[in-house]
Amino acid sequence: MRVLLISLVRFYQKFISPGFLPHCRFYPTCSSYMITALKKHGPILGLVMGIARILRCNPFVKGGIDYVPDYFTIFRNRESERNG
C-alpha cells in the first residue's frame, strides 16, 4: 500500500505538478512531505499527515520550514522552526 501511495505522489510530481505555478508555502513541498511521511509512519498515518499538511497549505498560513516529525501529529512541526 505504501509503495502504491508513493507511486501516485511521484506520478503527480512528474506529470501534474509541472503544469501549475509553484505555490507551496512550505519547505519541503507538500508532495515531498507526503512521501517522507509515508516512508516514516506507514500508509495510514503517513497519508493522514500528508493530507493535514495539504490542508495547511493555504493563504491563511505563514508557511516556512516544516519537516516530517518523528512522531505522529496532524499539526505543524514546531521543532523545524527552531532548528531550521
Side-chain angles (χ1 to χ4, degrees), residues 16-75:
I16 298 172
S17 182
F20 296 102
L21 294 173
H23 62 279
C24 190
R25 305 175 95 51
F26 291 103
Y27 176 83
T29 63
C30 294
S31 57
S32 296
Y33 183 97
M34 174 78 84
I35 291 172
T36 305
L38 289 167
K39 288 179 179 178
K40 208 177 238 192
H41 298 287
I44 305 299
L45 296 179
L47 185 63
V48 170
M49 290 177 76
I51 291 171
R53 167 68 178 277
I54 291 168
L55 293 174
R56 284 195 309 269
C57 193
N58 65 66
F60 302 107
V61 176
K62 181 181 174 187
I65 297 173
D66 181 27
Y67 296 113
V68 177
D70 292 332
Y71 53 89
F72 172 77
T73 181
I74 60 170
F75 301 106

Side-chain angles (χ1 to χ4, degrees), residues 1-13 31 34-44 46-47:
M1 177 105 169
R2 180 186 328 202
V3 173
L4 174 65
L5 292 171
I6 291 172
S7 297
L8 290 171
V9 175
R10 293 217 189 270
F11 178 84
Y12 165 80
Q13 287 177 324
S31 57
M34 174 78 84
I35 291 172
T36 305
L38 289 167
K39 288 179 179 178
K40 208 177 238 192
H41 298 287
I44 305 299
L47 185 63

